[in-house]
Amino acid sequence: MSGQQTREPIINAPLPLTAFALTLIALHGLRAFLPEQMNLAALYHGALFPERFWGWVNGQVLMPSGAPAYPGWLEAAAPLFLSALLHGDWMHVILNAVFLLALGKPMIEILSAIYGGRNAGVWVILFVLIFLTQAAGGLFYLLLNNPSGPLAIGASGGISGLMGAFLLMRDGASARLLSRNFLAVTGLFIVANYLFALIGPSLLGASIAWEIHVGSFIAGAFLGRAFIWDALRRLDN
């Protein structure tokens, strides 16, 4: 009698990464069943609203559209991170969950090699990378949509940050932000996102916040370079 064959898991990714991807899907599912007023409240507090942000910066109380500016710095900063937890539709959240798993797995392998195994500290670094680059992309979006612009939601900023970090760090210690290869990849990423933003409304029925993707990608590359520098510094000690 032949030995039992082990089945491959449906989602072949580390548990914390899988749990985060499923959390994004579950949160969107929860919103689908919320009353409209509560759903709007989630967007009101969690989505990036350029008009409300710049109204807060300029000390305004009520915006031309009738929406109030953020009342303080905490309310203005929170959407930079919370926007990652909100999505427009099922396709949006499922695509982001798939890309999160696809990019997060090789990224955690690189971080594990640098920081001595897949320990709790490495997972903290990964999620800090995701949310910091999400916030950086959000800031870039706000800068390019001043004084107003459409609201923005979705975890694609943090995912773009993962991509920027991974594409830089895969070259190892020799990786450079201004290397010809990485500059070519960055240029291709920017052009592809801009073109996708142009055809997104007709192709997917939704707008694409290319500014967030680009800002997060670049922020991820800088953080990736910082991780390499830290690894080399510790090797020298």
Side-chain angles (χ1 to χ4, degrees):
M1 196 170 179
S2 60
Q4 281 188 324
Q5 291 184 341
T6 57
R7 291 184 178 181
E8 288 292 327
I10 296 175
I11 301 177
N12 188 18
L15 181 58
L17 201 60
T18 302
F20 183 53
L22 292 177
T23 297
L24 294 180
I25 295 173
L27 287 172
H28 184 73
L30 177 63
R31 282 184 55 221
F33 292 100
L34 285 176
E36 184 179 2
Q37 188 174 2
M38 293 180 68
N39 209 334
L40 291 175
L43 292 172
Y44 184 79
H45 294 289
L48 283 169
F49 281 90
E51 187 183 33
R52 296 184 68 202
F53 179 85
W54 292 112
W56 165 71
V57 169
N58 296 324
Q60 294 176 252
V61 176
L62 197 65
M63 307 310 301
S65 66
Y70 292 117
W73 70 268
L74 184 60
E75 292 85 354
L80 294 171
F81 303 94
L82 294 179
S83 56
L85 306 179
L86 301 171
H87 291 83
D89 53 39
W90 284 109
M91 179 181 288
H92 190 197
V93 69
I94 289 172
L95 281 176
N96 275 350
V98 169
F99 278 109
L100 175 68
L101 295 174
L103 289 167
K105 187 178 178 182
M107 192 65 216
I108 201 64
E109 296 296 337
I110 292 176
L111 292 174
S112 297
I114 291 176
Y115 293 104
R118 203 177 281 183
N119 50 57
V122 166
W123 285 109
V124 170
I125 292 171
L126 179 74
F127 285 110
V128 166
L129 169 64
I130 291 172
F131 280 98
L132 272 185
T133 56
Q134 175 80 20
L139 281 173
F140 191 61
Y141 178 79
L142 292 171
L143 286 172
L144 295 186
N145 287 273
N146 180 3
S148 65
L151 66 86
I153 54 176
S156 54
I159 294 166
S160 297
L162 281 178
M163 183 180 291
F166 171 71
L167 291 177
L168 181 85
M169 296 178 73
R170 66 179 179 173
D171 291 335
S174 62
R176 294 291 183 273
L177 289 163
L178 297 181
S179 69
R180 181 179 298 177
N181 287 342
F182 188 70
L183 286 176
V185 168
T186 301
L188 182 62
F189 181 85
I190 293 172
V191 171
N193 270 274
Y194 184 71
L195 291 176
F196 197 52
L198 294 178
I199 65 174
S202 58
L203 186 66
L204 300 176
S207 59
I208 308 298
W210 67 271
E211 304 96 328
I212 295 179
H213 298 174
V214 171
S216 295
F217 182 92
I218 295 171
F222 273 93
L223 282 174
R225 183 58 207 166
F227 294 146
I228 293 173
W229 174 83
D230 185 49
L232 295 174
R233 179 188 61 80
R234 288 185 295 105
L235 284 173
D236 289 338
N237 291 339

